[in-house]
Amino acid sequence: MLSASGRKTLIQNFLALAIIQGTNFLLPLILMPYLNSSIGIDKFGVVSLIQTVMIFLGTFTDFGFNLSATREISIHKNDAERTTFIFNKVIIIKLLLCLVAFVVLVIIALVVPKFYKDFWGYILGFSIVLGQVLLPVWFFQGLEKMKYLTYLNVIAKIVFTILIFIFVKEPNDYLLVLLFFGLGNIVSGILGIWLAYKQLEKPSFQFPSKAIIQKELKDGWHLFVANFSIMSYIHSNLLILSLFANDYLLGIYSIAEKTSLAMRQILVVLSQAIYPKVCQFAQESHQNLRAFYKKLFIPFFGLYFLFSCSVFIFADFTVFILAKKYIPEAAHLLRLLCFTPLIVGFNIPAYQTLLAYEHQKSYMLILSLGSLLNVFLNLGLSWVFQAHGTAISIIITEIFITVGLHLILHKKHPKERLFV
């Protein structure tokens, strides 16, 4: 099990990741009441849709490195030359993928009428993706040294959030919202790159060969498909709903969805903080890995259940705070969605165990099936029930994925199963 120093490191990295993810999602929540009153719910829906497209492009540029590179760094962190090699190849490949993503975005924004009407919004919004590419969270996560990156990230994000409060005053200023969000990401990313080079014992720059790039893309394919599937069933909901609903309804749904996603960030932080330790335990002893999960997750899920219940009870008040008025439809949607993060939490031990033992194909299979299920359910249910149908499809999908991950781990990989 973890030593005293190991527990201290885990707690420090959990808190650091919590601050980063909390900043990424709490600042938009803090901004939500102001944006709903300044640019209006319609333009808030447009901004939310553009941000959703950027999430998909960001997932493409990440290509699973948030997991694979973190694992590599955590295993080889005592090898200075290997660590530098990993850092260089990942940053270069992500930048190349970023270029591809930008070309694709420009083509889509010129061809698709719904995107073309907000062409410059999508172009400015791409700065969010570029900032995400530059920020090497995976590097510091693997080293288990998140402290200084956290300070830089938070300061940059807060500064650009303040700029939104200063300069965004009317509906046409929605472009500035996207620009300031993106600039916050880019500044954080540049500072993160600088800090990473200071951490390297043998800093150097070497462009990876074509063979290395091809190998990384081939090896990371399964993780990319799995991650893209996750983003599809989490974030395609707003895109699909936009086929059947106007901007105002998109704005109402976004209030509930963004609150649910903010709740979900607690789970993201937890999984990111423990993943390096999970990989190390998988190398040492599966029995210790089981004991680690048991000691950590039983009290965590109890507290998280109480948290979800409180959001359910105070849904009307939460929506009033975020929208500056009572919107019964948004409160009802939030009550439908507020327990989905809890369902997601139950799949963390299963998916991390699959990845720690390099069973990426099994992980990809369940996530891909879940993504397809969500798309088909969403198309049918949102067509009939609009936003409520979207929420119901999310619940069904999350249950399917959580059960599926545990079943495939138990049945296909019995040596690594978590339950006897």
Side-chain angles (χ1 to χ4, degrees), residues 241-264:
L241 182 60
S242 70
L243 300 175
F244 310 105
N246 57 34
D247 289 341
Y248 180 79
L249 186 56
L250 290 179
I252 290 175
Y253 174 78
S254 294
I255 294 171
E257 183 184 64
K258 285 183 180 294
T259 306
S260 175
L261 290 175
M263 294 172 63
R264 194 175 181 135

PDB file of all heavy atoms in Angstrom, residues 241-264:
ATOM      1  N   LEU A 241     -29.058  17.847 -30.135  1.00  0.00           N
ATOM      2  CA  LEU A 241     -30.218  18.641 -29.737  1.00  0.00           C
ATOM      3  C   LEU A 241     -30.377  19.870 -30.622  1.00  0.00           C
ATOM      4  O   LEU A 241     -31.508  20.312 -30.896  1.00  0.00           O
ATOM      5  CB  LEU A 241     -30.089  19.049 -28.267  1.00  0.00           C
ATOM      6  CG  LEU A 241     -31.249  19.848 -27.663  1.00  0.00           C
ATOM      7  CD1 LEU A 241     -32.555  19.056 -27.730  1.00  0.00           C
ATOM      8  CD2 LEU A 241     -30.936  20.231 -26.222  1.00  0.00           C
ATOM      9  N   SER A 242     -29.253  20.418 -31.099  1.00  0.00           N
ATOM     10  CA  SER A 242     -29.319  21.610 -31.954  1.00  0.00           C
ATOM     11  C   SER A 242     -30.040  21.338 -33.274  1.00  0.00           C
ATOM     12  O   SER A 242     -30.481  22.277 -33.943  1.00  0.00           O
ATOM     13  CB  SER A 242     -27.905  22.140 -32.234  1.00  0.00           C
ATOM     14  OG  SER A 242     -27.185  21.267 -33.084  1.00  0.00           O
ATOM     15  N   LEU A 243     -30.151  20.050 -33.649  1.00  0.00           N
ATOM     16  CA  LEU A 243     -30.882  19.696 -34.874  1.00  0.00           C
ATOM     17  C   LEU A 243     -32.385  19.882 -34.707  1.00  0.00           C
ATOM     18  O   LEU A 243     -33.114  20.067 -35.689  1.00  0.00           O
ATOM     19  CB  LEU A 243     -30.600  18.234 -35.260  1.00  0.00           C
ATOM     20  CG  LEU A 243     -29.146  17.853 -35.545  1.00  0.00           C
ATOM     21  CD1 LEU A 243     -29.034  16.356 -35.779  1.00  0.00           C
ATOM     22  CD2 LEU A 243     -28.617  18.629 -36.751  1.00  0.00           C
ATOM     23  N   PHE A 244     -32.860  19.823 -33.450  1.00  0.00           N
ATOM     24  CA  PHE A 244     -34.300  19.837 -33.192  1.00  0.00           C
ATOM     25  C   PHE A 244     -34.760  21.001 -32.318  1.00  0.00           C
ATOM     26  O   PHE A 244     -35.960  21.165 -32.086  1.00  0.00           O
ATOM     27  CB  PHE A 244     -34.720  18.526 -32.502  1.00  0.00           C
ATOM     28  CG  PHE A 244     -34.217  17.292 -33.188  1.00  0.00           C
ATOM     29  CD1 PHE A 244     -33.168  16.561 -32.673  1.00  0.00           C
ATOM     30  CD2 PHE A 244     -34.793  16.864 -34.385  1.00  0.00           C
ATOM     31  CE1 PHE A 244     -32.707  15.415 -33.301  1.00  0.00           C
ATOM     32  CE2 PHE A 244     -34.336  15.724 -35.030  1.00  0.00           C
ATOM     33  CZ  PHE A 244     -33.283  15.000 -34.493  1.00  0.00           C
ATOM     34  N   ALA A 245     -33.828  21.821 -31.831  1.00  0.00           N
ATOM     35  CA  ALA A 245     -34.195  22.881 -30.896  1.00  0.00           C
ATOM     36  C   ALA A 245     -33.568  24.210 -31.317  1.00  0.00           C
ATOM     37  O   ALA A 245     -32.560  24.246 -32.017  1.00  0.00           O
ATOM     38  CB  ALA A 245     -33.737  22.509 -29.479  1.00  0.00           C
ATOM     39  N   ASN A 246     -34.191  25.301 -30.866  1.00  0.00           N
ATOM     40  CA  ASN A 246     -33.648  26.633 -31.166  1.00  0.00           C
ATOM     41  C   ASN A 246     -32.555  27.015 -30.178  1.00  0.00           C
ATOM     42  O   ASN A 246     -32.285  26.287 -29.218  1.00  0.00           O
ATOM     43  CB  ASN A 246     -34.783  27.682 -31.165  1.00  0.00           C
ATOM     44  CG  ASN A 246     -35.539  27.701 -29.835  1.00  0.00           C
ATOM     45  OD1 ASN A 246     -34.965  27.476 -28.776  1.00  0.00           O
ATOM     46  ND2 ASN A 246     -36.838  27.981 -29.900  1.00  0.00           N
ATOM     47  N   ASP A 247     -31.933  28.179 -30.406  1.00  0.00           N
ATOM     48  CA  ASP A 247     -30.817  28.602 -29.557  1.00  0.00           C
ATOM     49  C   ASP A 247     -31.245  28.803 -28.107  1.00  0.00           C
ATOM     50  O   ASP A 247     -30.465  28.558 -27.178  1.00  0.00           O
ATOM     51  CB  ASP A 247     -30.197  29.899 -30.097  1.00  0.00           C
ATOM     52  CG  ASP A 247     -29.428  29.693 -31.399  1.00  0.00           C
ATOM     53  OD1 ASP A 247     -29.065  28.526 -31.683  1.00  0.00           O
ATOM     54  OD2 ASP A 247     -29.191  30.671 -32.121  1.00  0.00           O
ATOM     55  N   TYR A 248     -32.486  29.265 -27.892  1.00  0.00           N
ATOM     56  CA  TYR A 248     -32.961  29.509 -26.522  1.00  0.00           C
ATOM     57  C   TYR A 248     -33.026  28.199 -25.735  1.00  0.00           C
ATOM     58  O   TYR A 248     -32.567  28.118 -24.590  1.00  0.00           O
ATOM     59  CB  TYR A 248     -34.336  30.176 -26.548  1.00  0.00           C
ATOM     60  CG  TYR A 248     -34.886  30.452 -25.164  1.00  0.00           C
ATOM     61  CD1 TYR A 248     -34.431  31.552 -24.432  1.00  0.00           C
ATOM     62  CD2 TYR A 248     -35.845  29.623 -24.596  1.00  0.00           C
ATOM     63  CE1 TYR A 248     -34.917  31.807 -23.162  1.00  0.00           C
ATOM     64  CE2 TYR A 248     -36.345  29.868 -23.320  1.00  0.00           C
ATOM     65  CZ  TYR A 248     -35.878  30.966 -22.613  1.00  0.00           C
ATOM     66  OH  TYR A 248     -36.357  31.210 -21.352  1.00  0.00           O
ATOM     67  N   LEU A 249     -33.581  27.139 -26.347  1.00  0.00           N
ATOM     68  CA  LEU A 249     -33.656  25.847 -25.668  1.00  0.00           C
ATOM     69  C   LEU A 249     -32.259  25.268 -25.447  1.00  0.00           C
ATOM     70  O   LEU A 249     -31.996  24.630 -24.415  1.00  0.00           O
ATOM     71  CB  LEU A 249     -34.517  24.866 -26.472  1.00  0.00           C
ATOM     72  CG  LEU A 249     -34.807  23.510 -25.804  1.00  0.00           C
ATOM     73  CD1 LEU A 249     -35.468  23.704 -24.447  1.00  0.00           C
ATOM     74  CD2 LEU A 249     -35.691  22.642 -26.692  1.00  0.00           C
ATOM     75  N   LEU A 250     -31.361  25.504 -26.411  1.00  0.00           N
ATOM     76  CA  LEU A 250     -29.971  25.073 -26.220  1.00  0.00           C
ATOM     77  C   LEU A 250     -29.359  25.764 -25.002  1.00  0.00           C
ATOM     78  O   LEU A 250     -28.614  25.149 -24.234  1.00  0.00           O
ATOM     79  CB  LEU A 250     -29.130  25.399 -27.462  1.00  0.00           C
ATOM     80  CG  LEU A 250     -29.404  24.591 -28.731  1.00  0.00           C
ATOM     81  CD1 LEU A 250     -28.487  25.065 -29.853  1.00  0.00           C
ATOM     82  CD2 LEU A 250     -29.204  23.104 -28.494  1.00  0.00           C
ATOM     83  N   GLY A 251     -29.688  27.052 -24.835  1.00  0.00           N
ATOM     84  CA  GLY A 251     -29.191  27.784 -23.682  1.00  0.00           C
ATOM     85  C   GLY A 251     -29.709  27.219 -22.377  1.00  0.00           C
ATOM     86  O   GLY A 251     -28.964  27.077 -21.396  1.00  0.00           O
ATOM     87  N   ILE A 252     -31.007  26.871 -22.337  1.00  0.00           N
ATOM     88  CA  ILE A 252     -31.609  26.285 -21.135  1.00  0.00           C
ATOM     89  C   ILE A 252     -30.967  24.932 -20.818  1.00  0.00           C
ATOM     90  O   ILE A 252     -30.601  24.647 -19.667  1.00  0.00           O
ATOM     91  CB  ILE A 252     -33.134  26.125 -21.325  1.00  0.00           C
ATOM     92  CG1 ILE A 252     -33.811  27.495 -21.324  1.00  0.00           C
ATOM     93  CG2 ILE A 252     -33.741  25.236 -20.240  1.00  0.00           C
ATOM     94  CD1 ILE A 252     -35.293  27.448 -21.620  1.00  0.00           C
ATOM     95  N   TYR A 253     -30.830  24.095 -21.848  1.00  0.00           N
ATOM     96  CA  TYR A 253     -30.209  22.786 -21.634  1.00  0.00           C
ATOM     97  C   TYR A 253     -28.762  22.948 -21.178  1.00  0.00           C
ATOM     98  O   TYR A 253     -28.285  22.193 -20.319  1.00  0.00           O
ATOM     99  CB  TYR A 253     -30.261  21.959 -22.925  1.00  0.00           C
ATOM    100  CG  TYR A 253     -29.508  20.652 -22.802  1.00  0.00           C
ATOM    101  CD1 TYR A 253     -30.067  19.580 -22.130  1.00  0.00           C
ATOM    102  CD2 TYR A 253     -28.220  20.517 -23.331  1.00  0.00           C
ATOM    103  CE1 TYR A 253     -29.372  18.385 -21.987  1.00  0.00           C
ATOM    104  CE2 TYR A 253     -27.516  19.343 -23.187  1.00  0.00           C
ATOM    105  CZ  TYR A 253     -28.105  18.273 -22.524  1.00  0.00           C
ATOM    106  OH  TYR A 253     -27.396  17.103 -22.366  1.00  0.00           O
ATOM    107  N   SER A 254     -28.051  23.937 -21.734  1.00  0.00           N
ATOM    108  CA  SER A 254     -26.646  24.143 -21.379  1.00  0.00           C
ATOM    109  C   SER A 254     -26.470  24.461 -19.900  1.00  0.00           C
ATOM    110  O   SER A 254     -25.464  24.088 -19.296  1.00  0.00           O
ATOM    111  CB  SER A 254     -26.056  25.282 -22.217  1.00  0.00           C
ATOM    112  OG  SER A 254     -26.009  24.926 -23.584  1.00  0.00           O
ATOM    113  N   ILE A 255     -27.438  25.165 -19.318  1.00  0.00           N
ATOM    114  CA  ILE A 255     -27.353  25.487 -17.894  1.00  0.00           C
ATOM    115  C   ILE A 255     -27.306  24.193 -17.074  1.00  0.00           C
ATOM    116  O   ILE A 255     -26.455  24.025 -16.186  1.00  0.00           O
ATOM    117  CB  ILE A 255     -28.550  26.358 -17.457  1.00  0.00           C
ATOM    118  CG1 ILE A 255     -28.476  27.731 -18.135  1.00  0.00           C
ATOM    119  CG2 ILE A 255     -28.581  26.506 -15.932  1.00  0.00           C
ATOM    120  CD1 ILE A 255     -29.715  28.573 -17.943  1.00  0.00           C
ATOM    121  N   ALA A 256     -28.212  23.261 -17.377  1.00  0.00           N
ATOM    122  CA  ALA A 256     -28.245  21.986 -16.647  1.00  0.00           C
ATOM    123  C   ALA A 256     -27.032  21.129 -16.973  1.00  0.00           C
ATOM    124  O   ALA A 256     -26.419  20.527 -16.073  1.00  0.00           O
ATOM    125  CB  ALA A 256     -29.535  21.235 -16.984  1.00  0.00           C
ATOM    126  N   GLU A 257     -26.655  21.074 -18.252  1.00  0.00           N
ATOM    127  CA  GLU A 257     -25.540  20.230 -18.650  1.00  0.00           C
ATOM    128  C   GLU A 257     -24.217  20.718 -18.059  1.00  0.00           C
ATOM    129  O   GLU A 257     -23.421  19.918 -17.557  1.00  0.00           O
ATOM    130  CB  GLU A 257     -25.428  20.179 -20.175  1.00  0.00           C
ATOM    131  CG  GLU A 257     -24.318  19.249 -20.651  1.00  0.00           C
ATOM    132  CD  GLU A 257     -24.128  19.273 -22.161  1.00  0.00           C
ATOM    133  OE1 GLU A 257     -23.764  20.340 -22.689  1.00  0.00           O
ATOM    134  OE2 GLU A 257     -24.343  18.240 -22.799  1.00  0.00           O
ATOM    135  N   LYS A 258     -23.980  22.021 -18.091  1.00  0.00           N
ATOM    136  CA  LYS A 258     -22.729  22.555 -17.558  1.00  0.00           C
ATOM    137  C   LYS A 258     -22.630  22.344 -16.052  1.00  0.00           C
ATOM    138  O   LYS A 258     -21.539  22.117 -15.527  1.00  0.00           O
ATOM    139  CB  LYS A 258     -22.597  24.041 -17.908  1.00  0.00           C
ATOM    140  CG  LYS A 258     -22.243  24.299 -19.368  1.00  0.00           C
ATOM    141  CD  LYS A 258     -22.052  25.770 -19.648  1.00  0.00           C
ATOM    142  CE  LYS A 258     -21.709  25.997 -21.119  1.00  0.00           C
ATOM    143  NZ  LYS A 258     -20.394  25.420 -21.490  1.00  0.00           N
ATOM    144  N   THR A 259     -23.761  22.406 -15.354  1.00  0.00           N
ATOM    145  CA  THR A 259     -23.748  22.124 -13.918  1.00  0.00           C
ATOM    146  C   THR A 259     -23.394  20.663 -13.665  1.00  0.00           C
ATOM    147  O   THR A 259     -22.583  20.343 -12.788  1.00  0.00           O
ATOM    148  CB  THR A 259     -25.113  22.442 -13.293  1.00  0.00           C
ATOM    149  OG1 THR A 259     -25.486  23.790 -13.603  1.00  0.00           O
ATOM    150  CG2 THR A 259     -25.074  22.273 -11.776  1.00  0.00           C
ATOM    151  N   SER A 260     -24.001  19.764 -14.447  1.00  0.00           N
ATOM    152  CA  SER A 260     -23.703  18.338 -14.321  1.00  0.00           C
ATOM    153  C   SER A 260     -22.243  18.043 -14.645  1.00  0.00           C
ATOM    154  O   SER A 260     -21.585  17.258 -13.965  1.00  0.00           O
ATOM    155  CB  SER A 260     -24.623  17.526 -15.243  1.00  0.00           C
ATOM    156  OG  SER A 260     -24.285  16.161 -15.237  1.00  0.00           O
ATOM    157  N   LEU A 261     -21.718  18.694 -15.695  1.00  0.00           N
ATOM    158  CA  LEU A 261     -20.321  18.487 -16.071  1.00  0.00           C
ATOM    159  C   LEU A 261     -19.374  19.042 -15.005  1.00  0.00           C
ATOM    160  O   LEU A 261     -18.291  18.485 -14.779  1.00  0.00           O
ATOM    161  CB  LEU A 261     -20.034  19.147 -17.418  1.00  0.00           C
ATOM    162  CG  LEU A 261     -20.677  18.487 -18.643  1.00  0.00           C
ATOM    163  CD1 LEU A 261     -20.415  19.302 -19.901  1.00  0.00           C
ATOM    164  CD2 LEU A 261     -20.163  17.056 -18.819  1.00  0.00           C
ATOM    165  N   ALA A 262     -19.770  20.141 -14.362  1.00  0.00           N
ATOM    166  CA  ALA A 262     -18.948  20.673 -13.270  1.00  0.00           C
ATOM    167  C   ALA A 262     -18.888  19.679 -12.118  1.00  0.00           C
ATOM    168  O   ALA A 262     -17.833  19.474 -11.506  1.00  0.00           O
ATOM    169  CB  ALA A 262     -19.520  22.005 -12.796  1.00  0.00           C
ATOM    170  N   MET A 263     -20.028  19.033 -11.813  1.00  0.00           N
ATOM    171  CA  MET A 263     -20.043  17.985 -10.782  1.00  0.00           C
ATOM    172  C   MET A 263     -19.112  16.842 -11.179  1.00  0.00           C
ATOM    173  O   MET A 263     -18.421  16.259 -10.348  1.00  0.00           O
ATOM    174  CB  MET A 263     -21.463  17.439 -10.604  1.00  0.00           C
ATOM    175  CG  MET A 263     -22.473  18.417 -10.046  1.00  0.00           C
ATOM    176  SD  MET A 263     -24.146  17.728 -10.099  1.00  0.00           S
ATOM    177  CE  MET A 263     -23.974  16.298  -9.005  1.00  0.00           C
ATOM    178  N   ARG A 264     -19.104  16.549 -12.442  1.00  0.00           N
ATOM    179  CA  ARG A 264     -18.315  15.428 -12.959  1.00  0.00           C
ATOM    180  C   ARG A 264     -16.812  15.669 -12.830  1.00  0.00           C
ATOM    181  O   ARG A 264     -16.020  14.719 -12.792  1.00  0.00           O
ATOM    182  CB  ARG A 264     -18.689  15.211 -14.425  1.00  0.00           C
ATOM    183  CG  ARG A 264     -18.219  13.911 -15.036  1.00  0.00           C
ATOM    184  CD  ARG A 264     -18.782  13.810 -16.428  1.00  0.00           C
ATOM    185  NE  ARG A 264     -18.374  12.570 -17.060  1.00  0.00           N
ATOM    186  CZ  ARG A 264     -19.191  11.783 -17.750  1.00  0.00           C
ATOM    187  NH1 ARG A 264     -20.452  12.097 -17.861  1.00  0.00           N
ATOM    188  NH2 ARG A 264     -18.745  10.683 -18.309  1.00  0.00           N
TER     189      ARG A 264
END
